[in-house]
Every structure is written in C-alpha cells, then in structure tokens.
Amino acid sequence: MNDKSFRPPIANRVENMEDYDTVYIGFPIWWYVAPTIINTFWEQYGLTRKTIIPFATSGSSGMGGRMRN
C-alpha cells in the first residue's frame, strides 16, 4: 500500500468485458484508499462508456476521492 505504483496481478480475467454496460466494483477501504489491485483493474479493463457502481466497506473512513479516475 505504501508503493502507489505497485500493480498486483489479477488472477482471473473477466471475459467479454465489452458485453457489459454496468460494472459493480466492490472493495474494502484500506488506510483511507482502495487496495492497489483496484488500480490494476481500472488500468486493465476499458471501462469507458460503462456505468460504474462502486461499493466499499470500511470500519472508519469513506470512499474519499477513489472514484475520480
């Protein structure tokens, strides 16, 4: 989490992402930000022109600016 450039690999790729109009993205908030694997996901999939529905869990912080990408 300290290395903002780190992009952990995604184990299983979603096939036919282009067939989806709406994508739900869920993650826990860690140290006030999304886990770095969410950055991997954003960068590997073309989410342009899709409706993104984010949801997150957190014990003490909100989603902040995570969804500005």
Side-chain angles (χ1 to χ4, degrees):
M1 290 299 296
N2 289 333
D3 181 358
K4 302 300 181 194
S5 66
F6 179 66
R7 298 297 185 264
I10 295 175
N12 299 305
R13 184 150 178 87
V14 176
E15 299 298 327
N16 304 318
M17 182 61 88
E18 66 277 0
D19 294 342
Y20 295 93
D21 294 324
T22 303
V23 178
Y24 290 77
I25 300 175
F27 51 86
I29 301 293
W30 292 348
W31 298 289
Y32 304 100
V33 296
T36 54
I37 198 164
I38 297 301
N39 294 328
T40 305
F41 183 84
W42 286 123
E43 293 167 5
Q44 285 187 2
Y45 289 97
L47 301 176
T48 304
R49 298 190 188 117
K50 296 190 182 300
T51 301
I52 307 300
I53 310 293
F55 63 96
T57 60
S58 175
S60 63
S61 61
M63 288 180 69
R66 175 65 248 160
M67 303 317 297
R68 282 188 226 146
N69 293 345

Short mmCIF file of all heavy atoms in Angstrom, two decimals:
data_model
loop_
_atom_site.label_atom_id
_atom_site.label_comp_id
_atom_site.label_asym_id
_atom_site.label_seq_id
_atom_site.Cartn_x
_atom_site.Cartn_y
_atom_site.Cartn_z
N MET A 1 0.82 -1.20 0.00
CA MET A 1 0.00 0.00 0.00
C MET A 1 0.86 1.26 0.00
O MET A 1 0.41 2.30 -0.44
CB MET A 1 -0.92 0.01 1.20
CG MET A 1 -2.04 -1.03 1.15
SD MET A 1 -3.17 -0.85 -0.23
CE MET A 1 -3.91 0.71 0.07
N ASN A 2 2.09 1.16 0.49
CA ASN A 2 2.95 2.34 0.51
C ASN A 2 3.48 2.71 -0.88
O ASN A 2 3.78 3.86 -1.14
CB ASN A 2 4.13 2.12 1.45
CG ASN A 2 3.69 2.12 2.90
OD1 ASN A 2 2.69 2.74 3.24
ND2 ASN A 2 4.41 1.42 3.75
N ASP A 3 3.60 1.72 -1.78
CA ASP A 3 4.10 1.96 -3.13
C ASP A 3 2.92 2.19 -4.06
O ASP A 3 2.28 1.25 -4.52
CB ASP A 3 4.93 0.77 -3.59
CG ASP A 3 5.51 0.96 -4.98
OD1 ASP A 3 5.24 2.00 -5.63
OD2 ASP A 3 6.23 0.04 -5.43
N LYS A 4 2.63 3.43 -4.35
CA LYS A 4 1.46 3.79 -5.17
C LYS A 4 1.58 3.31 -6.61
O LYS A 4 0.60 3.24 -7.34
CB LYS A 4 1.20 5.30 -5.15
CG LYS A 4 0.98 5.85 -3.75
CD LYS A 4 -0.22 5.22 -3.10
CE LYS A 4 -0.42 5.80 -1.72
NZ LYS A 4 -1.32 5.06 -0.89
N SER A 5 2.79 2.96 -7.06
CA SER A 5 2.97 2.49 -8.43
C SER A 5 2.82 0.97 -8.56
O SER A 5 2.74 0.45 -9.66
CB SER A 5 4.34 2.90 -8.96
OG SER A 5 5.36 2.24 -8.24
N PHE A 6 2.75 0.27 -7.43
CA PHE A 6 2.62 -1.19 -7.45
C PHE A 6 1.27 -1.61 -8.03
O PHE A 6 0.24 -1.05 -7.66
CB PHE A 6 2.78 -1.75 -6.03
CG PHE A 6 2.63 -3.24 -5.96
CD1 PHE A 6 3.55 -4.08 -6.56
CD2 PHE A 6 1.57 -3.79 -5.28
CE1 PHE A 6 3.41 -5.45 -6.49
CE2 PHE A 6 1.41 -5.17 -5.20
CZ PHE A 6 2.33 -6.00 -5.81
N ARG A 7 1.29 -2.58 -8.94
CA ARG A 7 0.07 -3.11 -9.54
C ARG A 7 0.09 -4.62 -9.41
O ARG A 7 0.68 -5.33 -10.23
CB ARG A 7 -0.05 -2.72 -11.03
CG ARG A 7 -0.12 -1.22 -11.29
CD ARG A 7 -1.37 -0.63 -10.66
NE ARG A 7 -1.55 0.76 -10.98
CZ ARG A 7 -1.17 1.78 -10.23
NH1 ARG A 7 -0.55 1.56 -9.08
NH2 ARG A 7 -1.40 3.02 -10.59
N PRO A 8 -0.56 -5.15 -8.37
CA PRO A 8 -0.59 -6.60 -8.21
C PRO A 8 -1.37 -7.23 -9.36
O PRO A 8 -2.30 -6.62 -9.90
CB PRO A 8 -1.29 -6.81 -6.87
CG PRO A 8 -2.05 -5.56 -6.63
CD PRO A 8 -1.32 -4.46 -7.33
N PRO A 9 -1.00 -8.44 -9.78
CA PRO A 9 -1.71 -9.08 -10.89
C PRO A 9 -3.11 -9.55 -10.47
O PRO A 9 -3.36 -9.85 -9.31
CB PRO A 9 -0.82 -10.26 -11.24
CG PRO A 9 -0.06 -10.56 -9.98
CD PRO A 9 0.10 -9.24 -9.27
N ILE A 10 -3.98 -9.59 -11.45
CA ILE A 10 -5.33 -10.13 -11.25
C ILE A 10 -5.29 -11.60 -11.66
O ILE A 10 -4.85 -11.93 -12.77
CB ILE A 10 -6.36 -9.35 -12.08
CG1 ILE A 10 -6.45 -7.90 -11.58
CG2 ILE A 10 -7.73 -10.03 -12.03
CD1 ILE A 10 -7.35 -7.01 -12.40
N ALA A 11 -5.75 -12.48 -10.79
CA ALA A 11 -5.66 -13.93 -11.03
C ALA A 11 -6.57 -14.39 -12.17
O ALA A 11 -6.17 -15.21 -12.99
CB ALA A 11 -5.99 -14.69 -9.75
N ASN A 12 -7.79 -13.90 -12.21
CA ASN A 12 -8.75 -14.36 -13.21
C ASN A 12 -9.29 -13.18 -13.99
O ASN A 12 -9.84 -12.26 -13.40
CB ASN A 12 -9.90 -15.11 -12.54
CG ASN A 12 -9.41 -16.33 -11.80
OD1 ASN A 12 -8.77 -17.18 -12.37
ND2 ASN A 12 -9.72 -16.41 -10.52
N ARG A 13 -9.17 -13.23 -15.29
CA ARG A 13 -9.63 -12.14 -16.15
C ARG A 13 -11.11 -12.33 -16.47
O ARG A 13 -11.57 -13.44 -16.72
CB ARG A 13 -8.82 -12.14 -17.44
CG ARG A 13 -9.17 -10.99 -18.33
CD ARG A 13 -7.97 -10.57 -19.14
NE ARG A 13 -8.32 -9.48 -20.02
CZ ARG A 13 -8.29 -8.21 -19.70
NH1 ARG A 13 -7.90 -7.86 -18.50
NH2 ARG A 13 -8.62 -7.27 -20.55
N VAL A 14 -11.86 -11.23 -16.48
CA VAL A 14 -13.27 -11.26 -16.88
C VAL A 14 -13.30 -11.32 -18.40
O VAL A 14 -12.76 -10.45 -19.08
CB VAL A 14 -14.02 -10.01 -16.38
CG1 VAL A 14 -15.45 -10.01 -16.89
CG2 VAL A 14 -13.99 -9.94 -14.86
N GLU A 15 -13.90 -12.34 -18.93
CA GLU A 15 -14.03 -12.48 -20.38
C GLU A 15 -15.17 -11.61 -20.88
O GLU A 15 -16.17 -11.43 -20.19
CB GLU A 15 -14.28 -13.95 -20.75
CG GLU A 15 -13.17 -14.88 -20.33
CD GLU A 15 -11.84 -14.58 -21.00
OE1 GLU A 15 -11.83 -14.14 -22.17
OE2 GLU A 15 -10.80 -14.80 -20.35
N ASN A 16 -15.03 -11.08 -22.06
CA ASN A 16 -16.09 -10.31 -22.72
C ASN A 16 -16.55 -9.09 -21.93
O ASN A 16 -17.74 -8.79 -21.89
CB ASN A 16 -17.29 -11.21 -23.03
CG ASN A 16 -16.90 -12.41 -23.85
OD1 ASN A 16 -16.11 -12.29 -24.78
ND2 ASN A 16 -17.42 -13.56 -23.50
N MET A 17 -15.63 -8.39 -21.31
CA MET A 17 -15.99 -7.19 -20.55
C MET A 17 -16.74 -6.19 -21.43
O MET A 17 -17.60 -5.46 -20.95
CB MET A 17 -14.75 -6.53 -19.94
CG MET A 17 -15.03 -5.30 -19.10
SD MET A 17 -16.07 -5.60 -17.66
CE MET A 17 -14.82 -6.02 -16.47
N GLU A 18 -16.45 -6.19 -22.72
CA GLU A 18 -17.12 -5.27 -23.63
C GLU A 18 -18.63 -5.53 -23.73
O GLU A 18 -19.39 -4.67 -24.13
CB GLU A 18 -16.49 -5.32 -25.03
CG GLU A 18 -16.66 -6.63 -25.76
CD GLU A 18 -15.64 -7.71 -25.39
OE1 GLU A 18 -14.76 -7.46 -24.55
OE2 GLU A 18 -15.73 -8.81 -25.95
N ASP A 19 -19.08 -6.70 -23.31
CA ASP A 19 -20.51 -7.03 -23.34
C ASP A 19 -21.30 -6.42 -22.18
O ASP A 19 -22.53 -6.44 -22.20
CB ASP A 19 -20.71 -8.54 -23.33
CG ASP A 19 -20.19 -9.20 -24.60
OD1 ASP A 19 -19.99 -8.50 -25.60
OD2 ASP A 19 -20.00 -10.43 -24.57
N TYR A 20 -20.61 -5.91 -21.19
CA TYR A 20 -21.27 -5.37 -20.00
C TYR A 20 -21.44 -3.86 -20.12
O TYR A 20 -20.50 -3.15 -20.46
CB TYR A 20 -20.46 -5.70 -18.74
CG TYR A 20 -20.39 -7.18 -18.46
CD1 TYR A 20 -19.33 -7.95 -18.93
CD2 TYR A 20 -21.40 -7.81 -17.74
CE1 TYR A 20 -19.27 -9.30 -18.68
CE2 TYR A 20 -21.34 -9.18 -17.47
CZ TYR A 20 -20.27 -9.91 -17.96
OH TYR A 20 -20.22 -11.25 -17.71
N ASP A 21 -22.63 -3.38 -19.81
CA ASP A 21 -22.89 -1.94 -19.77
C ASP A 21 -22.70 -1.37 -18.38
O ASP A 21 -22.36 -0.21 -18.22
CB ASP A 21 -24.32 -1.64 -20.23
CG ASP A 21 -24.54 -2.00 -21.68
OD1 ASP A 21 -23.61 -1.82 -22.49
OD2 ASP A 21 -25.65 -2.47 -22.02
N THR A 22 -22.96 -2.19 -17.36
CA THR A 22 -22.86 -1.78 -15.97
C THR A 22 -21.88 -2.70 -15.26
O THR A 22 -21.95 -3.91 -15.40
CB THR A 22 -24.23 -1.84 -15.27
OG1 THR A 22 -25.15 -1.02 -15.99
CG2 THR A 22 -24.15 -1.38 -13.82
N VAL A 23 -20.97 -2.10 -14.50
CA VAL A 23 -19.97 -2.87 -13.76
C VAL A 23 -20.02 -2.45 -12.30
O VAL A 23 -19.91 -1.27 -11.97
CB VAL A 23 -18.55 -2.63 -14.33
CG1 VAL A 23 -17.50 -3.39 -13.54
CG2 VAL A 23 -18.50 -2.99 -15.81
N TYR A 24 -20.21 -3.42 -11.41
CA TYR A 24 -20.16 -3.19 -9.97
C TYR A 24 -18.74 -3.48 -9.51
O TYR A 24 -18.19 -4.54 -9.81
CB TYR A 24 -21.13 -4.12 -9.24
CG TYR A 24 -22.58 -3.79 -9.47
CD1 TYR A 24 -23.22 -4.14 -10.64
CD2 TYR A 24 -23.30 -3.11 -8.50
CE1 TYR A 24 -24.55 -3.83 -10.87
CE2 TYR A 24 -24.63 -2.79 -8.71
CZ TYR A 24 -25.25 -3.16 -9.89
OH TYR A 24 -26.57 -2.86 -10.10
N ILE A 25 -18.14 -2.53 -8.79
CA ILE A 25 -16.78 -2.71 -8.29
C ILE A 25 -16.80 -2.54 -6.78
O ILE A 25 -17.09 -1.47 -6.27
CB ILE A 25 -15.81 -1.70 -8.93
CG1 ILE A 25 -15.80 -1.88 -10.45
CG2 ILE A 25 -14.41 -1.86 -8.34
CD1 ILE A 25 -14.97 -0.87 -11.19
N GLY A 26 -16.50 -3.62 -6.08
CA GLY A 26 -16.52 -3.60 -4.62
C GLY A 26 -15.15 -3.86 -4.04
O GLY A 26 -14.36 -4.62 -4.61
N PHE A 27 -14.84 -3.20 -2.96
CA PHE A 27 -13.54 -3.35 -2.33
C PHE A 27 -13.58 -2.82 -0.91
O PHE A 27 -14.41 -1.99 -0.57
CB PHE A 27 -12.44 -2.62 -3.12
CG PHE A 27 -12.78 -1.18 -3.43
CD1 PHE A 27 -12.49 -0.17 -2.53
CD2 PHE A 27 -13.38 -0.85 -4.63
CE1 PHE A 27 -12.80 1.15 -2.82
CE2 PHE A 27 -13.69 0.46 -4.94
CZ PHE A 27 -13.41 1.47 -4.03
N PRO A 28 -12.65 -3.28 -0.07
CA PRO A 28 -12.51 -2.69 1.26
C PRO A 28 -11.66 -1.43 1.18
O PRO A 28 -10.78 -1.33 0.31
CB PRO A 28 -11.78 -3.78 2.05
CG PRO A 28 -10.95 -4.47 1.02
CD PRO A 28 -11.77 -4.43 -0.26
N ILE A 29 -11.92 -0.48 2.03
CA ILE A 29 -11.06 0.70 2.14
C ILE A 29 -9.93 0.34 3.10
O ILE A 29 -10.17 -0.08 4.22
CB ILE A 29 -11.85 1.92 2.70
CG1 ILE A 29 -13.04 2.27 1.81
CG2 ILE A 29 -10.92 3.11 2.89
CD1 ILE A 29 -12.67 2.79 0.45
N TRP A 30 -8.69 0.47 2.63
CA TRP A 30 -7.52 0.18 3.44
C TRP A 30 -6.73 1.46 3.60
O TRP A 30 -6.31 2.05 2.61
CB TRP A 30 -6.62 -0.86 2.79
CG TRP A 30 -7.19 -2.24 2.72
CD1 TRP A 30 -8.29 -2.72 3.35
CD2 TRP A 30 -6.67 -3.33 1.96
NE1 TRP A 30 -8.49 -4.03 3.04
CE2 TRP A 30 -7.51 -4.44 2.18
CE3 TRP A 30 -5.58 -3.47 1.11
CZ2 TRP A 30 -7.28 -5.67 1.59
CZ3 TRP A 30 -5.36 -4.69 0.52
CH2 TRP A 30 -6.20 -5.77 0.76
N TRP A 31 -6.51 1.87 4.81
CA TRP A 31 -5.73 3.08 5.10
C TRP A 31 -6.25 4.26 4.27
O TRP A 31 -5.47 4.99 3.64
CB TRP A 31 -4.24 2.85 4.86
CG TRP A 31 -3.67 1.80 5.75
CD1 TRP A 31 -3.47 1.89 7.10
CD2 TRP A 31 -3.28 0.48 5.38
NE1 TRP A 31 -2.96 0.72 7.58
CE2 TRP A 31 -2.84 -0.17 6.54
CE3 TRP A 31 -3.26 -0.22 4.18
CZ2 TRP A 31 -2.38 -1.48 6.53
CZ3 TRP A 31 -2.79 -1.52 4.18
CH2 TRP A 31 -2.37 -2.12 5.34
N TYR A 32 -7.56 4.39 4.22
CA TYR A 32 -8.25 5.51 3.57
C TYR A 32 -8.25 5.46 2.03
O TYR A 32 -8.67 6.40 1.38
CB TYR A 32 -7.71 6.87 4.04
CG TYR A 32 -7.80 7.01 5.54
CD1 TYR A 32 -6.69 6.79 6.33
CD2 TYR A 32 -9.01 7.32 6.15
CE1 TYR A 32 -6.77 6.88 7.71
CE2 TYR A 32 -9.10 7.42 7.53
CZ TYR A 32 -7.98 7.20 8.30
OH TYR A 32 -8.07 7.28 9.67
N VAL A 33 -7.79 4.39 1.43
CA VAL A 33 -7.80 4.25 -0.03
C VAL A 33 -8.21 2.83 -0.41
O VAL A 33 -8.19 1.91 0.41
CB VAL A 33 -6.42 4.57 -0.66
CG1 VAL A 33 -6.03 6.01 -0.43
CG2 VAL A 33 -5.35 3.63 -0.15
N ALA A 34 -8.53 2.66 -1.69
CA ALA A 34 -8.81 1.32 -2.21
C ALA A 34 -7.51 0.52 -2.29
O ALA A 34 -6.43 1.10 -2.47
CB ALA A 34 -9.45 1.44 -3.59
N PRO A 35 -7.58 -0.81 -2.19
CA PRO A 35 -6.38 -1.62 -2.36
C PRO A 35 -5.77 -1.40 -3.75
O PRO A 35 -6.48 -1.12 -4.72
CB PRO A 35 -6.88 -3.05 -2.22
CG PRO A 35 -8.26 -2.97 -1.68
CD PRO A 35 -8.78 -1.61 -1.94
N THR A 36 -4.46 -1.57 -3.87
CA THR A 36 -3.78 -1.30 -5.12
C THR A 36 -4.26 -2.18 -6.27
O THR A 36 -4.14 -1.79 -7.44
CB THR A 36 -2.26 -1.42 -4.96
OG1 THR A 36 -1.96 -2.70 -4.41
CG2 THR A 36 -1.72 -0.33 -4.08
N ILE A 37 -4.84 -3.33 -5.99
CA ILE A 37 -5.33 -4.18 -7.08
C ILE A 37 -6.50 -3.51 -7.82
O ILE A 37 -6.74 -3.78 -8.99
CB ILE A 37 -5.72 -5.59 -6.59
CG1 ILE A 37 -5.78 -6.53 -7.79
CG2 ILE A 37 -7.00 -5.55 -5.79
CD1 ILE A 37 -5.76 -7.99 -7.44
N ILE A 38 -7.18 -2.59 -7.18
CA ILE A 38 -8.23 -1.83 -7.87
C ILE A 38 -7.62 -0.97 -8.97
O ILE A 38 -8.18 -0.82 -10.05
CB ILE A 38 -9.05 -0.98 -6.86
CG1 ILE A 38 -9.77 -1.90 -5.87
CG2 ILE A 38 -10.03 -0.07 -7.57
CD1 ILE A 38 -10.74 -2.90 -6.50
N ASN A 39 -6.43 -0.42 -8.73
CA ASN A 39 -5.73 0.32 -9.79
C ASN A 39 -5.41 -0.59 -10.96
O ASN A 39 -5.54 -0.20 -12.13
CB ASN A 39 -4.45 0.96 -9.25
CG ASN A 39 -4.73 2.02 -8.22
OD1 ASN A 39 -5.74 2.70 -8.28
ND2 ASN A 39 -3.85 2.14 -7.26
N THR A 40 -4.98 -1.83 -10.67
CA THR A 40 -4.73 -2.80 -11.72
C THR A 40 -5.99 -3.00 -12.55
O THR A 40 -5.95 -3.00 -13.78
CB THR A 40 -4.28 -4.15 -11.12
OG1 THR A 40 -3.15 -3.97 -10.28
CG2 THR A 40 -3.96 -5.15 -12.21
N PHE A 41 -7.11 -3.19 -11.87
CA PHE A 41 -8.39 -3.42 -12.56
C PHE A 41 -8.75 -2.24 -13.46
O PHE A 41 -9.08 -2.42 -14.63
CB PHE A 41 -9.49 -3.66 -11.52
CG PHE A 41 -10.82 -3.97 -12.15
CD1 PHE A 41 -11.13 -5.26 -12.53
CD2 PHE A 41 -11.75 -2.96 -12.35
CE1 PHE A 41 -12.36 -5.54 -13.11
CE2 PHE A 41 -12.98 -3.23 -12.93
CZ PHE A 41 -13.29 -4.53 -13.31
N TRP A 42 -8.69 -1.02 -12.94
CA TRP A 42 -9.01 0.19 -13.72
C TRP A 42 -8.17 0.25 -14.99
O TRP A 42 -8.64 0.62 -16.06
CB TRP A 42 -8.74 1.46 -12.93
CG TRP A 42 -9.69 1.82 -11.84
CD1 TRP A 42 -9.36 2.01 -10.53
CD2 TRP A 42 -11.09 2.06 -11.92
NE1 TRP A 42 -10.47 2.34 -9.81
CE2 TRP A 42 -11.55 2.37 -10.64
CE3 TRP A 42 -12.01 2.02 -12.97
CZ2 TRP A 42 -12.88 2.66 -10.37
CZ3 TRP A 42 -13.34 2.30 -12.70
CH2 TRP A 42 -13.76 2.62 -11.42
N GLU A 43 -6.89 -0.08 -14.85
CA GLU A 43 -5.95 0.07 -15.96
C GLU A 43 -6.05 -1.06 -16.98
O GLU A 43 -5.74 -0.86 -18.15
CB GLU A 43 -4.53 0.20 -15.42
CG GLU A 43 -4.35 1.49 -14.65
CD GLU A 43 -3.08 1.55 -13.82
OE1 GLU A 43 -2.25 0.61 -13.91
OE2 GLU A 43 -2.91 2.54 -13.08
N GLN A 44 -6.48 -2.25 -16.57
CA GLN A 44 -6.53 -3.38 -17.49
C GLN A 44 -7.82 -3.49 -18.29
O GLN A 44 -7.83 -4.14 -19.33
CB GLN A 44 -6.30 -4.69 -16.73
CG GLN A 44 -4.86 -4.89 -16.35
CD GLN A 44 -4.61 -6.26 -15.75
OE1 GLN A 44 -5.50 -7.10 -15.65
NE2 GLN A 44 -3.38 -6.51 -15.35
N TYR A 45 -8.88 -2.90 -17.77
CA TYR A 45 -10.17 -3.02 -18.45
C TYR A 45 -10.59 -1.67 -19.02
O TYR A 45 -10.46 -0.65 -18.38
CB TYR A 45 -11.25 -3.51 -17.48
CG TYR A 45 -11.07 -4.95 -17.10
CD1 TYR A 45 -10.43 -5.29 -15.92
CD2 TYR A 45 -11.53 -5.97 -17.93
CE1 TYR A 45 -10.26 -6.63 -15.57
CE2 TYR A 45 -11.36 -7.30 -17.57
CZ TYR A 45 -10.73 -7.62 -16.40
OH TYR A 45 -10.56 -8.94 -16.05
N GLY A 46 -11.13 -1.70 -20.22
CA GLY A 46 -11.67 -0.47 -20.81
C GLY A 46 -13.06 -0.20 -20.26
O GLY A 46 -14.02 -0.84 -20.67
N LEU A 47 -13.17 0.69 -19.32
CA LEU A 47 -14.45 0.97 -18.68
C LEU A 47 -15.11 2.23 -19.21
O LEU A 47 -16.13 2.68 -18.68
CB LEU A 47 -14.27 1.06 -17.17
CG LEU A 47 -13.68 -0.21 -16.52
CD1 LEU A 47 -13.45 0.02 -15.03
CD2 LEU A 47 -14.56 -1.40 -16.75
N THR A 48 -14.56 2.77 -20.29
CA THR A 48 -15.15 3.96 -20.90
C THR A 48 -16.54 3.62 -21.40
O THR A 48 -16.77 2.54 -21.94
CB THR A 48 -14.27 4.43 -22.08
OG1 THR A 48 -12.96 4.65 -21.59
CG2 THR A 48 -14.80 5.71 -22.68
N ARG A 49 -17.46 4.53 -21.18
CA ARG A 49 -18.86 4.39 -21.60
C ARG A 49 -19.62 3.30 -20.86
O ARG A 49 -20.61 2.79 -21.34
CB ARG A 49 -18.95 4.17 -23.11
CG ARG A 49 -18.41 5.33 -23.90
CD ARG A 49 -18.73 5.19 -25.38
NE ARG A 49 -18.04 6.22 -26.11
CZ ARG A 49 -17.11 6.00 -27.02
NH1 ARG A 49 -16.79 4.77 -27.34
NH2 ARG A 49 -16.53 6.99 -27.63
N LYS A 50 -19.12 2.92 -19.70
CA LYS A 50 -19.83 1.97 -18.85
C LYS A 50 -20.33 2.70 -17.61
O LYS A 50 -19.75 3.67 -17.18
CB LYS A 50 -18.91 0.83 -18.43
CG LYS A 50 -18.44 0.00 -19.62
CD LYS A 50 -17.75 -1.24 -19.17
CE LYS A 50 -17.24 -2.04 -20.33
NZ LYS A 50 -18.26 -2.48 -21.27
N THR A 51 -21.43 2.20 -17.09
CA THR A 51 -21.91 2.70 -15.81
C THR A 51 -21.18 1.93 -14.73
O THR A 51 -21.22 0.70 -14.70
CB THR A 51 -23.43 2.48 -15.68
OG1 THR A 51 -24.08 3.18 -16.73
CG2 THR A 51 -23.93 2.97 -14.33
N ILE A 52 -20.47 2.65 -13.86
CA ILE A 52 -19.71 2.04 -12.77
C ILE A 52 -20.47 2.26 -11.48
O ILE A 52 -20.78 3.40 -11.12
CB ILE A 52 -18.30 2.66 -12.67
CG1 ILE A 52 -17.57 2.63 -14.01
CG2 ILE A 52 -17.49 1.98 -11.57
CD1 ILE A 52 -17.37 1.26 -14.59
N ILE A 53 -20.74 1.16 -10.77
CA ILE A 53 -21.42 1.23 -9.46
C ILE A 53 -20.39 0.81 -8.40
O ILE A 53 -20.11 -0.38 -8.24
CB ILE A 53 -22.64 0.29 -9.39
CG1 ILE A 53 -23.57 0.48 -10.59
CG2 ILE A 53 -23.36 0.44 -8.05
CD1 ILE A 53 -24.26 1.81 -10.64
N PRO A 54 -19.79 1.77 -7.71
CA PRO A 54 -18.80 1.41 -6.69
C PRO A 54 -19.47 1.13 -5.35
O PRO A 54 -20.50 1.72 -5.02
CB PRO A 54 -17.94 2.66 -6.59
CG PRO A 54 -18.88 3.77 -6.92
CD PRO A 54 -19.84 3.21 -7.94
N PHE A 55 -18.91 0.20 -4.61
CA PHE A 55 -19.32 -0.01 -3.23
C PHE A 55 -18.10 -0.45 -2.44
O PHE A 55 -17.18 -1.05 -2.99
CB PHE A 55 -20.48 -1.03 -3.12
CG PHE A 55 -20.15 -2.41 -3.61
CD1 PHE A 55 -19.75 -3.40 -2.73
CD2 PHE A 55 -20.26 -2.73 -4.96
CE1 PHE A 55 -19.45 -4.68 -3.18
CE2 PHE A 55 -19.97 -4.00 -5.42
CZ PHE A 55 -19.56 -4.99 -4.53
N ALA A 56 -18.07 -0.05 -1.19
CA ALA A 56 -16.90 -0.33 -0.37
C ALA A 56 -17.29 -0.58 1.08
O ALA A 56 -18.35 -0.15 1.52
CB ALA A 56 -15.92 0.85 -0.44
N THR A 57 -16.43 -1.29 1.76
CA THR A 57 -16.58 -1.50 3.19
C THR A 57 -15.47 -0.75 3.90
O THR A 57 -14.37 -0.61 3.37
CB THR A 57 -16.51 -2.99 3.55
OG1 THR A 57 -15.24 -3.50 3.16
CG2 THR A 57 -17.61 -3.78 2.86
N SER A 58 -15.78 -0.27 5.07
CA SER A 58 -14.77 0.44 5.85
C SER A 58 -15.19 0.49 7.30
O SER A 58 -16.37 0.68 7.59
CB SER A 58 -14.59 1.86 5.32
OG SER A 58 -13.70 2.57 6.15
N GLY A 59 -14.22 0.35 8.15
CA GLY A 59 -14.51 0.47 9.55
C GLY A 59 -14.50 1.91 10.05
O GLY A 59 -15.13 2.24 11.04
N SER A 60 -13.81 2.80 9.29
CA SER A 60 -13.68 4.16 9.82
C SER A 60 -13.55 5.26 8.78
O SER A 60 -13.48 6.42 9.14
CB SER A 60 -12.46 4.23 10.74
OG SER A 60 -11.28 3.96 10.01
N SER A 61 -13.49 4.96 7.47
CA SER A 61 -13.30 6.03 6.51
C SER A 61 -14.23 5.86 5.31
O SER A 61 -14.66 4.75 5.00
CB SER A 61 -11.84 6.07 6.03
OG SER A 61 -11.51 4.85 5.40
N GLY A 62 -14.50 6.96 4.63
CA GLY A 62 -15.35 6.92 3.46
C GLY A 62 -14.55 6.62 2.20
O GLY A 62 -13.36 6.35 2.26
N MET A 63 -15.20 6.71 1.04
CA MET A 63 -14.54 6.39 -0.22
C MET A 63 -13.64 7.51 -0.70
O MET A 63 -12.81 7.31 -1.56
CB MET A 63 -15.58 6.06 -1.30
CG MET A 63 -16.21 4.72 -1.03
SD MET A 63 -17.43 4.24 -2.23
CE MET A 63 -16.43 3.93 -3.66
N GLY A 64 -13.79 8.69 -0.13
CA GLY A 64 -12.90 9.80 -0.49
C GLY A 64 -12.91 10.07 -1.98
O GLY A 64 -13.93 10.04 -2.61
N GLY A 65 -11.73 10.28 -2.57
CA GLY A 65 -11.63 10.60 -3.98
C GLY A 65 -11.36 9.39 -4.86
O GLY A 65 -11.02 9.54 -6.02
N ARG A 66 -11.53 8.20 -4.38
CA ARG A 66 -11.20 6.99 -5.13
C ARG A 66 -11.89 6.92 -6.50
O ARG A 66 -11.34 6.45 -7.46
CB ARG A 66 -11.58 5.76 -4.30
CG ARG A 66 -11.39 4.44 -5.02
CD ARG A 66 -9.94 4.15 -5.34
NE ARG A 66 -9.78 4.20 -6.79
CZ ARG A 66 -8.65 4.38 -7.42
NH1 ARG A 66 -7.56 4.60 -6.77
NH2 ARG A 66 -8.58 4.41 -8.72
N MET A 67 -13.10 7.40 -6.61
CA MET A 67 -13.86 7.19 -7.83
C MET A 67 -13.67 8.32 -8.84
O MET A 67 -14.39 8.41 -9.81
CB MET A 67 -15.34 7.01 -7.51
CG MET A 67 -15.63 5.87 -6.56
SD MET A 67 -14.73 4.33 -6.85
CE MET A 67 -15.31 3.87 -8.44
N ARG A 68 -12.66 9.16 -8.67
CA ARG A 68 -12.42 10.25 -9.61
C ARG A 68 -11.71 9.79 -10.86
O ARG A 68 -11.60 10.53 -11.82
CB ARG A 68 -11.60 11.35 -8.94
CG ARG A 68 -12.46 12.21 -8.06
CD ARG A 68 -11.68 13.39 -7.58
NE ARG A 68 -11.95 13.48 -6.16
CZ ARG A 68 -11.11 13.87 -5.24
NH1 ARG A 68 -9.90 14.23 -5.57
NH2 ARG A 68 -11.46 13.92 -3.99
N ASN A 69 -11.15 8.59 -10.91
CA ASN A 69 -10.40 8.10 -12.08
C ASN A 69 -11.30 7.90 -13.26
O ASN A 69 -12.38 7.56 -13.25
CB ASN A 69 -9.68 6.78 -11.75
CG ASN A 69 -8.59 7.01 -10.74
OD1 ASN A 69 -8.19 8.13 -10.50
ND2 ASN A 69 -8.12 5.94 -10.17
#
